[in-house]
Each structure stands twice: as C-alpha cells, then as structure tokens.
C-alpha cells in the first residue's frame, strides 16, 4: 500500500529498535501525538532517531490511530541534527533513513511546527505528509553555516515541494523564513491560529481525517523544470560571496542534482556530498565557531552574577568612534547623553549620528518612528559632565592619550552616580592606570568597540585588575543589548586583537622587506579568505595612524628589533592611503579599490640596498606560513598570559574584528588543523634568521611536547560545549 516510488525503496531502518522514551507517544482520540523531547532544542540525537523509528512503527501498528502528529517539546520543534555527534562516526539509524521511514508510513503523518524547524528538523517535517506551523514559527536549512549541506533529503525534497528557485534562495544562504512566507512557498500547508503546536496539529489532523486527504510525499512530487543556466548563475553568484567556503556551492550542486535524477539517486548523491563535507576541515572550523560563539559569555567569574541596571549611557567624545557607539546604543533602545567640548563639536556629532541612523533606516534596520524617537527623546547632547550624573554607564571615546583619558576619568569619578560603570574605549592603553585615578576602580572597565561601532560586531570587554564581577557582567550585557559579539580580554598593549594584529603586521613587513611585495602579501591573504589584505587595510585605516604609533613607541623600541622604514618614507611623502588617494595602492578619482602603487617597490628596493638584504623570492605558501605562524605564536602568548581566557576567545576576536575567514575557524583552529608541531618547527626555522621576533610561545612548546591541541585547551576550560560529550 506504499506509494509507487516508495514501494521500490528499501526501508533501511531496523524496525526492532525500542523507544528510550525521548519521543513520547500519546493517543488523543484517533490521533497519535509524538513529542520529541531533547532539551534545549530537540536536536536529533541517536536516541531521538531510534525513538522516532520505534514510534512510527508503533503508529503503523496502532489500529486506533488514524493520523500522527509530530511536535517538539519546549521552545522549538526541532533545531536539527545533533551537531556534537558529527565528530563521531555516524551511527544507525541514520537520519535520512529515519525520515524515509516517516514518509513511507501508510497513514498520514503531520509535522506541527512552533519556534523553529531547522536543518534536520525541517527535513523531518519535509518527510511528513503535511506541515502546519503556528504563528511566529520559522523554517530553514542553515547547514551551510556549518560547512555542510542538508544531508537528510533537504536538497531533494525542498525543490520538489517549493521549486528550484525557492530552494536556491533558502539552502545556499541558510536563512530561515517565517511561517507566512513558508506557506506562500508551499512549504507549510497551513499557518494555524492556534497558539500551541499540539492544538494546531490536532486541528489539522481532524481536517485530514474528515476530508480523507490523500498522503502527499515530497519525494513523489515533480517540480517544474528549470533551465540549467539557473544553476550555473546561482553557482557563480554563490561562489563569489563564499570567498573560498565550499558548502554554499555544494548546496547549489545538490539542488541541481534534484533536477537531473530520480529521488533515490538524488538521495544517494546528497549523502555522498554531505559525508564529504562533514569530514572536511571547513566543517570542523565552522562547528568550532558555532560552539565558540556560545561559549564566549560563559565565564566562571560572572556565572550567576546579575549585571547592573543598564538603560541609559553616556558617551564622551563625538568623533567617528563616539558617534558610532552612540548610534549603536540608540538603535538598540538605550538613552544616550553625548558630551563634547563645545556646541560646534556637538553639532558635528549629531550630524554623524543622524547620518548613521538615516543609513540604518534606508537599509530597513530601523523604522522612521524609531528614528523619530531617537532624536525626540533618546539622545541628549551636552557640554557639561554634570549631565552624566544619572547615567548607568559611560563610555569614554576621546583622543587616544593616557593623560587625556585620566583627566576624563577624574571628572567622571566626580560626577557619576554611585554604581555607574565607567568604561574606556581605548584600543591599547593601560586600563589599570586609568582606573587608578578614580576612587572606584572596581567600576572601571575597558569596552573596546571597533569602528564603525554601530556596524562592527566585535566588542572586547577588557577586565582590569580591580574590575568587579557585576561590572564585567554589565559589559557583556551592553554587548548583548547592542548585538555585539563580546569577548573577554585582559589588560596589555592592544588587548587580544590589536596585539596579535601588530605582530602579524610586523611579520608582513619583514616578508616584504625580505623580497616580496605588499601586493603579493595582500593577494595571498585574499586567497586565504580575508576580505582584504593587510596593506589594503592599512590604506583604508590611514597610514598616518601606524606612523604616529611608531613615533610614539620609538623611544622604547628594543634595539634588537628589526625596524623597517618604507612605511615612514611613504608617510613622509604625504601618502596616507585612501584619504590621500595614494598609499600602497593608487586610488583614481576617489575609487575605493586601488591599483598597486609602483613607487612603493622603489622605496622597498632602496631599503633593501641600505640594509644589504638580498631579496628572497618567497612562494605564496611560504608567505602564508610566515604570516600565520606570527599570528598563531602571538595568539598563543596571549592565551598563555591569560589575556584571552581560551583559544576560542582569540578565534572569535579575529573572526569578528579582523576579517579572519569564519570557515577556517580562527587562527587557533587553523593551527590545530595544520598541526602545532609544524607551526612550531616553522617558527624555530624563522628564528634562525631573526631570533628576537620569532621567540616561540611557551604554550605552543608545551602543547607540542604533551601532544595536545588548542581544541584540547578549549575543552579543558569546560566552557566549550563543542567539547561536551
Ligand atoms: C543538521 O541538521 C544536519 C542534518 C543532516 C544530517 C544527516 N546540536 O543557540 P542557543 C545547543 S545540522 C547540538 O544558545 P537560542 C547550543 O550549543 C544542524 N546542540 O539557543 C546551546 O548549548 P549550550 C542544523 C545544539 O535559543 C543550546 O543548544 N541546525 C544545536 O539562542 C542552546 O542554543 C542548526 O544549525 C544542535 N543542532 O537559539 C541550528 N543547536 O547551552 C542550530 C543548538 O551548551 N541552532 N544547540 O551552549 C540554532 O540556530 C539555535 O540554537 C536555535 C536556538 C535558533 C535553535
């Protein structure tokens, strides 16, 4: 009695599996309600898969049950396969077979969706004969973000149900869609008015029974044909955006397979593609990033600690950074009092905020009413510090000079209410020294935003020696409110990100002086997956910034350090990068993408001549190895010193603040993939040429000696759920 195509298909799941009780079975009249229960998100673990098989069999044999409804317990329907299990060899019953079993059922099975049905969760729903959602439910196939493709029929059933265009929109992007859009696309058969998924499922079941609605199996549907060009175009567009990440392109290829073969062959091909990606470094990196994201705020020092009240903030300084911070806070519902020196500066700050907010309205991120509220009510401008007497938190974003900052904090100490959090946005100065000028160092913290602060995701929460735990918790809370990725950092020159940046930039300069060109280095890093190379970034940021830093540090420079002069010579000529139309690249007529500036090569040749350096011809691989070794070595020192609590904190800092490709998982994850032994032996080889720069991190040596990895350190910290069994 099974559908024609399904009759021919082997039901590959052993039907002797017994339920372990994670999927309950309850008869409500003539409807069997199966509830998937695996907190917190009902991931499809082995036990759940086994239970589903057992419950489907029970339903088939239950003469009292005419229809089955599958629902999820708690906040969501099912959030997908259990990502933690991907590290282990796949164990039967495999999800595609479980879902085939659901679809092969001879009586109707309905998925009643609330919260989200994601990945394998939506695939389970696609294996059901009908799908009903409650309002607010979302469905999606986000596997692409984990470096894999939907591997339980999603790439074969979704195009048959919703068409190739919809599948091409949803699967390579991984973006979920709401219930109404899902209904419009034919993915949901109905969006119920019932608030509760069980009620929605029961109501739908009743209509199926009453109307005798025939079973509808996605595998048996035929999607309208499309021109093969659609896939070629999609592949080209997706590959361009993916910048080296494979899964988006494979998603398109898997959907294309659906247009070319039978369902059974398509499923076999999908499985092959899925398994290949599941065993790839890209999947490991993206799964690491998934869990690292969730581990960032899990810190023993703030566990169970409530943040302080956070409704209004003060911002000192209305330059690009201060105005950006104010914009981000205002856009997320906080009240902001912005302090500037005089009315003219306040006017400029207001104009910058208005431009930022206007941009957000144009992009649809903010409504016109919200914009209105910001300028009518939420934003206050003042030249008087006394206006900050009632704010809950102040972020100082003035000129990067320790004496100027100290003066600001003395004033804040005098005017702010008791319990207010006093934060500095410094990117490298000593937060302990700033805290020490106040009578309340426990309330002082670093909140290092990245420019433009209303757009960039990263926020370093810099914990000074005396910072109180609830102040740290408040820093993280501000990050959450402003939708930032907050990373805990300790105090040192440059904290996590800028300190590591300074080291790999120095390595790049050495590579360049020793014989490569800035353009080669940029190309290698672009190929690696960074959105821009370090020299194009320098042009964008302004070469004068690095010049000023070098001058500032000149008196304390260690004479053993190799010092390169080419960048100073460029600045002496007034080449500050994009803003002067010339830097490492030449920017014609205000263009944002430049062409290599050949004069830079002459400056480099001169420097080599002066220093009697014989230009080496480094291969792309050698350039990459050096650059990454410098990054990893400094990162290891940052972890060793406790500036970053765990390797994963470094990884997320580099991903969210410095353009490190997420699909490589950050420098520590990358180092684990390459092998720490290889990285260490490279460092030791480079040290033979420059022993001062290439001093191996002790942590790296220890890990190599004990045969451990950075991932092991993450696991030992106990806070990375990826490592949990
Ligand atoms: C797939 O389905 C492939 C199928 C083919 C197979 C052949 N597995 O995000 P939250 C944990 S691939 C294991 O903080 P929210 C998470 O780590 C999967 N664990 O909550 C955290 O644990 P912790 C495709 C998971 O309310 C806890 O649950 N699906 C999984 O902000 C809470 O998570 C996806 O990619 C999982 N699948 O957001 C969806 N999901 O407390 C991934 C979550 O120990 N999930 N955890 O740190 C999400 O997008 C979100 O979790 C959410 C809930 C929207 C479901």
């Amino acid at each position: 009695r099974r559908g024609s195509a399904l009759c021919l298909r082997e039901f590959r799941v052993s039907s002797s599996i017994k339920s372990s009780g994670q999927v309950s079975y309850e008869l409500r009249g003539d409807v069997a309600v199966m509830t998937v229960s695996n907190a917190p998100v009902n991931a499809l673990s082995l036990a759940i898969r086994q239970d589903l098989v057992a419950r489907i069999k029970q339903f088939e044999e239950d003469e009292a049950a005419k229809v089955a409804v599958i629902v999820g317990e708690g906040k969501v329907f099912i959030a997908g396969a259990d990502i933690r299990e991907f590290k282990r060899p796949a164990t039967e019953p495999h999800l595609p077979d479980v879902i085939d079993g659901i679809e092969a059922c001879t009586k109707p099975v309905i998925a009643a969706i609330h919260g989200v049905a994601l990945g394998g969760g939506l695939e389970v729903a696609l294996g059901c004969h009908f799908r009903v959602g409650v309002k607010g439910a979302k469905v999606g196939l986000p596997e692409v973000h984990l470096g894999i493709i939907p591997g339980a029929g999603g790439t074969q059933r979704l195009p048959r149900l919703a068409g190739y265009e919809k599948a091409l929109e949803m699967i390579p992007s991984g973006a979920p869609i709401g219930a109404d859009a899902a209904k419009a696309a034919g993915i949901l058969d109905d969006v119920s008015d019932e608030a509760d998924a069980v009620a929605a499922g029961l109501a739908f079941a009743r209509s199926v029974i009453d109307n005798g609605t025939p079973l509808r199996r996605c595998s048996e549907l035929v999607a309208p044909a499309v021109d093969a060009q659609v896939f070629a175009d999609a592949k080209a567009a997706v590959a361009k955006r993916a910048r080296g990440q494979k899964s988006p392109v494979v998603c398109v290829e898997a959907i294309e397979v659906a247009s070319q073969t039978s369902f059974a062959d398509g499923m076999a091909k999908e499985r092959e593609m899925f398994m290949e990606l599941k065993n790839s470094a890209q999947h490991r990196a993206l799964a690491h990033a998934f869990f690292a994201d969730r581990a960032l705020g899990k810190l023993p020092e703030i566990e169970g600690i409530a943040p302080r009240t956070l409704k209004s903030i003060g911002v000192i300084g209305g330059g690009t950074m201060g105005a950006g911070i104010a914009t981000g806070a205002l856009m997320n519902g906080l009240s902001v009092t912005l302090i500037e020196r005089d009315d003219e500066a306040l006017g400029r700050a207001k104009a910058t905020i208005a431009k930022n907010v206007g941009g957000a309205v144009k992009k649809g991120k903010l409504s016109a009413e919200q914009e209105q509220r910001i300028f009518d009510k939420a934003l206050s401008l003042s030249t008087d510090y006394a206006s900050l007497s009632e704010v809950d938190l102040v972020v100082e974003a003035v000129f990067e000079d320790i004496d100027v900052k100290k003066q600001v904090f003395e004033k804040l100490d005098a005017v702010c209410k008791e319990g207010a959090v006093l934060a500095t946005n410094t990117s490298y100065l000593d937060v302990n020294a700033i805290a020490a000028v106040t009578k309340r160092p426990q309330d002082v913290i670093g909140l290092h935003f990245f420019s433009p602060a209303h757009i960039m995701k990263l926020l370093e929460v810099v914990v000074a020696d005396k910072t109180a735990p609830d102040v740290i918790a408040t820093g993280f809370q501000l990050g959450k409110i402003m939708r930032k990725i907050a990373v805990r950092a300790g105090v040192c020159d440059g904290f996590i990100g800028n300190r590591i940046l300074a080291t790999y930039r120095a390595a790049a300069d050495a590579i360049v002086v020793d014989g490569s060109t800035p353009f080669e280095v940029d190309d290698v890093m672009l190929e690696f997956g960074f959105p821009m190379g370090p020299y194009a970034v320098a042009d964008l940021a302004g070469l004068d910034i690095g010049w000023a830093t070098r001058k500032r540090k000149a008196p304390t420079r260690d004479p053993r350090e190799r010092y390169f002069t080419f960048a100073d010579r460029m600045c002496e000529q007034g080449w500050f990068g994009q803003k002067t139309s010339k830097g490492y690249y030449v920017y014609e007529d205000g263009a944002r993408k430049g062409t290599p500036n050949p004069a830079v090569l002459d400056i480099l040749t001169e420097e080599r001549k002066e220093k009697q350096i014989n230009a080496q011809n480094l291969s792309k691989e050698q350039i990459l190895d050096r650059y990454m070794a410098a990054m990893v070595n400094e990162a290891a020192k940052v972890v060793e010193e406790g500036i970053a609590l765990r390797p994963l904190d470094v990884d997320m800092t580099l991903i969210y603040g410095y353009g490190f490709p997420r699909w490589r998982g950050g420098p520590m994850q990358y180092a684990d993939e390459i092998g720490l032994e290889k990285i260490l032996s490279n460092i030791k080889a480079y040290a033979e040429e420059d022993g001062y720069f290439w001093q191996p991190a002790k942590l790296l040596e220890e890990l190599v000696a004990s045969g451990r990895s950075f991932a092991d350190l993450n696991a030992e910290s106990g806070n990375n759920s990826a490592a949990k069994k």
Side-chain angles (χ1 to χ4, degrees):
R1 281 163 48 230
R2 290 160 66 185
S4 54
L6 284 158
C7 285
L8 302 173
R9 272 186 16 238
E10 189 192 346
F11 185 33
R12 279 159 290 182
V13 173
S14 157
S15 52
S16 62
I17 294 172
K18 292 271 176 303
S19 161
S20 63
Q22 290 198 16
V23 180
S24 64
Y25 184 98
E26 188 197 352
L27 209 53
R28 299 267 195 108
D30 49 6
V31 181
V33 177
M34 302 179 194
T35 308
V36 176
S37 172
N38 182 16
V41 296
N42 299 329
L44 295 157
S45 61
L46 173 62
I48 295 285
R49 299 198 302 276
Q50 288 173 334
D51 267 18
L52 276 172
V53 172
R55 295 313 193 186
I56 287 293
K57 179 167 182 283
Q58 184 178 352
F59 168 58
E60 276 286 29
E61 289 167 358
D62 187 347
E63 287 179 1
K66 291 194 178 134
V67 176
V69 174
I70 301 181
V71 293
E73 171 104 33
K75 285 196 301 192
V76 303
F77 175 68
I78 298 169
D82 187 336
I83 303 165
R84 282 185 205 113
E85 281 185 3
F86 287 169
K87 283 202 291 194
R88 304 193 279 272
T91 314
E92 288 185 347
H94 301 306
L95 190 58
D97 300 336
V98 175
I99 293 172
D100 279 359
I102 296 172
E103 197 185 49
C105 211
T106 56
K107 297 186 279 186
V109 184
I110 299 162
I113 299 169
H114 76 294
V116 295
L118 296 177
L122 178 56
E123 290 176 304
V124 165
L126 293 173
C128 294
H129 308 113
F130 306 100
R131 288 150 296 280
V132 57
V134 302
K135 287 204 163 56
K138 284 188 180 163
V139 302
L141 293 169
E143 287 88 339
V144 67
H145 300 310
L146 294 164
I148 50 177
I149 60 168
T155 67
Q156 305 302 300
R157 285 194 177 90
L158 188 69
R160 284 178 163 82
L161 179 65
Y164 294 104
E165 272 89 351
K166 197 72 199 166
L168 284 171
E169 196 183 299
M170 286 179 68
I171 301 177
S173 75
I177 59 172
D180 291 333
K183 186 178 174 203
I187 299 169
L188 292 182
D189 297 290
D190 198 14
V191 180
S192 170
D193 288 330
E194 301 282 356
D196 164 61
V198 176
L202 287 173
F204 198 87
R206 187 54 38 216
S207 75
V208 168
I209 296 168
D210 292 350
N211 300 328
T213 319
L215 300 188
R216 191 157 174 257
R217 297 187 172 98
C218 290
S219 64
E220 293 170 356
L221 303 175
V222 180
V226 280
D227 195 323
Q229 192 57 37
V230 170
F231 297 106
D233 292 347
K235 237 181 281 180
V238 158
K240 198 167 167 213
R241 275 200 306 273
R243 262 206 313 267
Q245 187 183 330
K246 286 186 199 141
S247 57
V249 179
V250 183
C251 284
V252 177
E253 287 167 354
I255 301 166
E256 186 173 18
V257 166
S259 75
Q260 295 166 336
T261 59
S262 67
F263 180 76
D265 288 350
M267 286 295 284
K269 189 74 193 144
E270 180 198 75
R271 182 82 185 155
E272 205 180 288
M273 292 165 143
F274 169 81
M275 289 307 285
E276 193 178 326
L277 288 175
K278 193 189 111 170
N279 293 325
S280 70
Q282 294 201 0
H283 163 63
R284 285 190 290 277
L286 287 162
H288 161 69
F290 176 88
F291 289 111
D293 272 343
R294 286 156 180 81
L296 287 176
K298 289 185 188 149
L299 306 171
E301 67 199 328
I302 56 170
E303 209 182 310
I305 305 270
R308 295 184 184 174
T309 304
L310 200 47
K311 294 217 158 49
S312 58
I313 73 164
V315 176
I316 317 235
T320 310
M321 183 55 93
I325 295 169
T327 307
L330 289 163
M331 280 173 49
N332 289 292
L334 293 169
S335 299
V336 174
T337 304
L338 189 136
I339 305 285
E340 256 296 355
R341 194 175 314 124
D342 51 39
D343 288 345
E344 211 184 309
L346 280 179
R348 277 197 301 271
K350 189 175 178 187
T352 311
I353 295 170
K355 195 169 154 228
N356 294 342
V357 170
V361 173
K362 246 189 226 147
K363 284 191 195 139
K365 290 187 179 164
L366 213 65
S367 68
E369 294 78 59
Q370 284 168 310
E371 182 181 29
Q372 179 97 25
R373 196 197 77 88
I374 286 174
F375 293 103
D376 287 354
K377 290 208 178 108
L379 175 65
S380 319
L381 302 166
S382 174
T383 53
D384 185 0
Y385 273 63
S387 321
L388 298 175
S389 62
E390 288 308 314
V391 299
D392 300 319
L393 179 148
V394 184
V395 190
E396 157 284 306
V398 301
F399 186 63
E400 197 72 345
D401 176 291
I402 190 86
D403 294 325
V404 177
K405 303 240 181 214
K406 282 180 178 174
Q407 281 166 20
V408 168
F409 273 76
E410 275 166 8
K411 285 194 215 164
L412 290 178
D413 196 18
V415 300
C416 289
K417 68 179 180 191
E418 194 187 320
V421 173
L422 310 184
T424 169
N425 178 55
T426 180
S427 45
Y428 59 85
L429 296 172
D430 183 352
V431 184
N432 284 316
I434 295 172
V437 302
T438 70
K439 288 190 244 9
R440 39 174 135 177
Q442 74 282 359
D443 295 339
V444 177
I445 194 164
L447 290 177
H448 180 210
F449 289 87
F450 290 69
S451 197
H454 60 299
I455 290 174
M456 289 289 287
K457 287 304 262 178
L458 184 64
L459 171 66
E460 281 180 311
V461 176
V462 186
V463 177
D465 292 348
K466 295 192 176 154
T467 311
D470 63 343
V471 171
I472 307 172
T474 312
F476 275 87
Q477 181 68 9
L478 181 70
K480 199 166 162 192
I481 293 173
M482 290 178 68
R483 291 184 241 194
K484 302 288 174 207
I485 303 292
V487 178
R488 186 215 194 271
V491 177
C492 70
D493 190 346
F495 316 128
I496 299 178
N498 280 349
R499 170 165 161 187
I500 298 172
L501 167 75
T503 304
Y504 66 78
R505 279 295 282 106
D509 285 353
I511 292 169
V512 161
V513 170
D514 288 341
S516 301
T517 72
F519 322 118
E520 280 168 333
V521 174
D522 276 0
D523 283 349
V524 169
M525 296 332 292
L526 274 179
E527 257 174 53
F528 183 81
F530 278 89
M532 289 170 93
Y535 293 100
V537 170
D539 269 3
L540 183 66
L543 303 185
D544 47 331
I545 295 176
W547 196 25
T549 310
R550 289 193 294 279
K551 284 187 206 159
R552 177 175 58 85
K553 289 191 169 169
T556 53
R557 190 177 304 130
D558 192 309
R560 292 171 298 170
E561 184 187 334
R562 285 181 80 188
Y563 187 76
F564 309 113
T565 54
F566 65 94
D568 296 344
R569 290 196 187 150
M570 290 170 63
C571 289
E572 281 157 18
Q573 311 205 34
W575 301 346
F576 294 160
Q578 278 198 26
K579 60 184 163 194
T580 58
S581 302
K582 208 178 239 188
Y584 292 100
Y585 298 86
V586 179
Y587 304 86
E588 302 281 2
D589 303 322
R592 293 177 69 184
K593 197 170 167 1
T595 51
N597 178 359
V600 173
L601 301 182
D602 300 334
I603 295 177
L604 278 166
T605 308
E606 253 171 60
E607 181 162 1
R608 287 186 201 116
K609 212 156 69 204
E610 266 168 30
K611 295 184 172 153
Q612 298 175 343
I613 294 169
N614 289 327
Q616 305 174 35
N617 195 5
L618 293 187
S619 67
K620 284 184 169 187
E621 198 188 336
Q622 287 170 320
I623 293 175
L624 180 67
D625 282 353
R626 277 177 194 246
Y627 194 88
M628 293 309 300
M631 194 184 295
V632 171
N633 199 35
E634 193 63 28
K637 289 178 188 174
V638 160
V639 175
E640 176 188 310
E641 292 167 27
I643 300 300
L645 278 192
R646 304 151 295 189
L648 66 87
D649 296 286
V650 172
D651 283 341
M652 295 302 106
T653 301
L654 271 289
I655 288 176
Y656 287 107
Y658 298 81
F660 197 101
R662 185 176 173 91
W663 56 266
R664 291 195 189 266
M668 311 306 249
Q669 170 72 18
Y670 172 79
D672 276 354
E673 280 292 340
I674 296 291
L676 300 190
E677 228 173 290
K678 161 130 196 287
I679 303 255
L680 182 61
S681 82
N682 279 349
I683 292 171
K684 286 185 173 159
Y686 309 146
E688 283 172 24
E689 293 162 28
D690 180 357
Y692 176 75
F693 182 80
W694 293 103
Q695 297 176 33
K698 284 194 195 63
L699 178 65
L700 198 52
E701 289 181 320
E702 267 170 43
L703 289 177
V704 170
S706 58
R708 280 142 78 226
S709 62
F710 290 123
D712 290 328
L713 277 190
N714 285 329
E716 286 161 24
S717 79
N719 282 314
N720 184 8
S721 40
K724 284 186 198 161
K725 293 281 173 294

